[in-house]
Amino acid sequence: MALPAELFLSPSPQELTFIAEEELIEIVPSFSMSRVRLISASPSGVYGPFQPPSKAVVPLWLALSLKRKKKCRIICPEWLTVENLEQLMQAEKENSESFVPLPRHFIEVSKVLLDVAASDLASPSELHSLLLSLRHIRLAKIRTGLRPSNPSLPSANNAPTQSGADTGPFSAGGEYLKLTGLTPIEIVEMRSFLGGVMGMMKSLTDKPDGDAGGMDQD
Amino acid sequence: MPSFFDSDDEDASIPTRPSGRRDRDSLPNHASSSRTSSPPSSSSFLDRLRSTATPNRTNRSSSTAFTTLDGSSTGIKRYDLEDVDEEGPSNVNINGLDLGGRDGELGEGLEDFEAYQFEDDNDVKQLIRAWMRERGTRDIMLWEGELLDTVLHKVEQQGSMLELLRSDPKTSEEEHFKLQLVSTEVERVKYLIRSYLRCRIDKVERYSHHITLEPEVQSRLSELELHHARQYTNLLHQHFSSSVLNSLPEWLRRMDDVGNDGTSMVRQPNKEIPVLIHVLKDCGEVVLSDGERASLEPESMHLIKYELVERYVRLGWVEVL
């Protein structure tokens, strides 16, 4: 097939990182260069000019490529600071009912920044451990949220659609799940599992005669 | 299902698009251009994808900064890499290009596909969204011909500029550095295009028989994809016939039988598979199969049966992840 089976229906983490690299980020260039015309630059059609010490806004992939050549300093995004992460952690711990909203490409961006531009971040090792624990808290919440038939535990969805039956966070016979507050990569991680669960619940609740034709189950 | 989308009263509930886009709707050939392109010639695959006779194309290419300069390579250098100070005209051109990006979605009365306006939008981001939408769903989405044409056109421009400047001994070191950046981006965009197309080819082959039977699905494909679907189905059926079916009794030879349990031999997209959506515009509530309601408010995310949100996916009110 034209598309590898493992990519069907679910983007890989690499692809999500690719997408995240289109996000814009600020850099301080260490060289001067006039503007560059690139396809993704809109509406002006150009990035730059690059003139130290003033900042320039470029897509993340460009910033990383410059950084690898030691030609710029990446300005750390506002949310990627020790104070902010500590606050987020606190909020995440206190709020057991839902997830603290994070930037869309939080995990991907912080990962590549720590990998490539650690020297531009204040206390990268501390950031690293904070990010890790933040992630663990969220993962734990996801897991407990998905556990069925335990109403006392926090739930991955705060949807009002809990049917009360043994469907846990799922509603309508396992065909609906609210995931607000999670980032795409977190969902991708558990997607194949979720898909399987939902398919299973569906087959359990379906009436055997009401099946549609030409099913394409995997 | 077509009737669902075609109904007139749908239009009333859809917010009007910005006036800038409306102008282009008056160009009747514009929307369908990419899908009425003539099938294969001998050129490369990507070349074959682009439309051959888009009325707009000539305008567009003549209005871009690159093609106006067929003069000396130094002149091209100046314009291409540095974007000369006359911001005015170049901005206008670029805006013109961007506007050309998105109307391939017209058709089946879905004129307000682009009802949600993204901040800091560009062709690449639009392509990423189209790609994710294609990847996240089972059904075949509408062919993004216009967008792809625009992006391919830009890739070509950047590519020819790269070639020119690389071979030019007068190119300065600074410009060589810029060329690296430009070529990195071109590669990124090419990867995107390839991945988008591969995903579509996969679906076309997967559901080729279904496509040949359903005019509604055909309307979402490009001319080339439709051609491929037909040929693929033919080949497959010929192969099955010659290898097995011809030795079976007549009544067992059909390729489009429906079994006793209602299961058809024709594979079609399963719309019950959940999709992951991120809501951009308030879509109100959807009724789940057990009668409960889920409200699709902006910024919320849901894993939900595709069937229930198909409309909003096509309108662009929700983003598929």
Side-chain angles (χ1 to χ4, degrees):
Chain A
M1 280 289 176
L3 193 70
E6 70 271 18
L7 291 182
F8 194 58
L9 264 195
S10 179
S12 67
Q14 288 82 5
E15 286 171 319
L16 285 171
T17 309
F18 179 89
I19 294 171
E21 281 174 0
E22 285 295 323
E23 296 292 305
L24 297 177
I25 194 165
E26 280 184 322
I27 58 164
V28 176
S30 54
F31 64 106
S32 51
M33 184 173 84
S34 50
R35 285 172 284 194
V36 182
R37 177 182 290 276
L38 290 176
I39 300 171
S40 65
S42 287
S44 62
V46 289
Y47 288 118
F50 303 94
Q51 188 66 56
S54 52
K55 293 178 189 170
V57 178
V58 295
L60 185 58
W61 64 264
L62 184 51
L64 293 174
S65 143
L66 291 177
K67 179 70 199 172
R68 287 197 183 97
K69 292 176 183 127
K70 307 219 182 325
K71 278 180 180 283
C72 78
R73 188 162 62 79
I74 293 178
I75 309 249
C76 175
E78 281 165 26
W79 47 264
L80 193 57
T81 57
V82 173
E83 300 85 64
N84 189 35
L85 286 182
E86 271 167 354
Q87 273 174 18
L88 281 176
M89 276 240 305
Q90 200 57 39
E92 199 75 72
K93 275 183 193 157
E94 280 164 9
N95 187 355
S96 60
E97 289 302 309
S98 63
F99 293 93
V100 175
L102 289 173
R104 176 83 164 267
H105 299 293
F106 176 80
I107 293 174
E108 299 96 307
V109 173
S110 56
K111 166 106 174 57
V112 288
L113 284 183
L114 278 169
D115 281 354
V116 180
S119 56
D120 293 344
L121 306 174
S123 51
S125 54
E126 209 171 322
L127 282 177
H128 188 82
S129 65
L130 274 172
L131 283 167
L132 211 61
S133 22
L134 186 60
R135 211 160 128 59
H136 283 157
I137 296 175
R138 287 169 72 92
L139 274 176
K141 265 197 205 176
I142 294 172
R143 269 190 227 113
T144 47
L146 290 176
R147 192 174 300 166
S149 67
N150 199 341
S152 62
L153 284 167
S155 109
N157 70 329
N158 43 4
T161 46
Q162 292 268 16
S163 50
D166 276 1
T167 51
F170 296 95
S171 324
E175 66 185 41
Y176 174 76
L177 182 63
K178 189 169 180 180
L179 295 162
T180 304
L182 291 176
T183 56
I185 199 163
E186 288 172 308
I187 297 168
V188 164
E189 274 181 335
M190 52 175 191
R191 177 151 195 170
S192 56
F193 165 73
L194 276 184
V197 170
M198 287 171 106
M200 175 68 82
M201 292 180 85
K202 179 139 186 21
S203 65
L204 289 175
T205 50
D206 257 358
K207 293 175 213 84
D209 54 341
D211 217 356
M215 283 287 122
D216 175 30
Q217 309 274 16
D218 352 66
Chain B
M1 186 185 54
S3 61
F4 178 63
F5 287 102
D6 283 341
S7 65
D8 286 332
D9 47 13
E10 288 301 320
D11 292 347
S13 64
I14 296 164
T16 50
R17 56 175 60 208
S19 55
R21 297 187 164 267
R22 202 170 278 281
D23 306 338
R24 282 170 311 120
D25 296 344
S26 58
L27 295 170
N29 296 328
H30 190 83
S32 56
S33 62
S34 329
R35 286 190 276 132
T36 54
S37 60
S38 54
S41 67
S42 57
S43 44
S44 81
F45 180 65
L46 286 185
D47 278 346
R48 283 192 277 133
L49 277 163
R50 42 163 83 253
S51 54
T52 42
T54 315
N56 260 44
R57 275 203 78 73
T58 43
N59 299 342
R60 203 192 292 157
S61 52
S62 65
S63 69
T64 50
F66 306 120
T67 40
T68 48
L69 297 153
D70 32 352
S72 69
S73 58
T74 47
I76 290 173
K77 221 184 283 176
R78 194 159 50 86
Y79 280 79
D80 287 347
L81 286 177
E82 292 182 12
D83 187 54
V84 273
D85 282 330
E86 19 172 316
E87 295 253 307
S90 80
N91 273 349
V92 171
N93 290 341
I94 294 298
N95 286 337
L97 275 177
D98 286 345
L99 283 174
R102 222 32 198 328
D103 269 18
E105 277 100 348
L106 292 189
E108 297 125 62
L110 288 181
E111 283 154 33
D112 285 294
F113 192 101
E114 189 65 0
Y116 182 84
Q117 290 291 319
F118 285 87
E119 288 171 36
D120 73 330
D121 203 19
N122 60 51
D123 290 337
V124 177
K125 285 200 173 149
Q126 284 181 15
L127 189 56
I128 288 180
R129 281 200 302 276
W131 173 47
M132 287 328 279
R133 191 163 61 231
E134 204 66 63
R135 285 286 294 276
T137 51
R138 291 294 172 105
D139 208 5
I140 302 174
M141 299 287 118
L142 199 62
W143 166 243
E144 299 274 352
E146 277 291 315
L147 175 63
L148 222 62
D149 269 3
T150 313
V151 175
L152 279 172
H153 181 62
K154 290 186 180 177
V155 166
E156 207 167 77
Q157 281 180 338
Q158 298 281 63
S160 55
M161 185 197 73
L162 274 175
E163 230 163 80
L164 245 170
L165 292 181
R166 275 212 179 118
S167 53
D168 187 349
K170 277 181 282 181
T171 306
S172 70
E173 202 170 314
E174 180 183 313
E175 270 158 352
H176 271 299
F177 183 65
K178 282 188 192 173
L179 290 180
Q180 279 180 21
L181 300 181
V182 172
S183 69
T184 311
E185 194 197 33
V186 167
E187 288 310 315
R188 282 177 66 88
V189 176
K190 278 186 183 165
Y191 164 76
L192 255 184
I193 297 172
R194 271 200 300 270
S195 192
Y196 174 68
L197 294 176
R198 280 176 65 164
C199 181
R200 284 188 69 93
I201 294 173
D202 185 83
K203 287 186 184 177
V204 166
E205 289 179 0
R206 206 176 275 260
Y207 306 122
S208 62
H209 195 181
H210 172 63
I211 291 167
T212 56
L213 300 175
E214 293 285 335
E216 194 274 329
V217 184
Q218 291 171 13
S219 68
R220 279 183 256 142
L221 301 182
S222 73
E223 195 72 21
L224 271 165
E225 286 169 333
L226 190 54
H227 185 73
H228 182 64
R230 291 200 171 116
Q231 287 203 319
Y232 188 82
T233 316
N234 276 346
L235 282 174
L236 209 61
H237 289 189
Q238 270 170 27
H239 173 65
F240 285 153
S241 302
S242 62
S243 58
V244 183
L245 293 177
N246 284 346
S247 2
L248 294 179
E250 191 97 17
W251 59 280
L252 284 174
R253 287 186 194 168
R254 289 172 57 97
M255 293 288 294
D256 51 1
D257 249 348
V258 178
N260 289 335
D261 56 352
T263 314
S264 166
M265 281 178 76
V266 183
R267 180 146 82 157
Q268 43 183 285
N270 182 356
K271 296 191 175 175
E272 307 227 326
I273 299 263
V275 288
L276 179 61
I277 55 165
H278 173 227
V279 181
L280 303 166
K281 272 182 84 131
D282 197 354
C283 304
E285 287 184 330
V286 290
V287 181
L288 306 173
S289 63
D290 60 356
E292 289 185 59
R293 286 160 184 278
S295 99
L296 303 180
E297 62 230 13
E299 292 306 313
S300 61
M301 281 168 46
H302 313 262
L303 195 59
I304 190 167
K305 249 186 3 183
Y306 174 65
E307 218 170 30
L308 296 172
V309 290
E310 180 171 13
R311 237 191 103 201
Y312 302 116
V313 171
R314 294 198 188 185
L315 282 169
W317 290 11
V318 302
E319 192 181 4
V320 179
L321 301 174

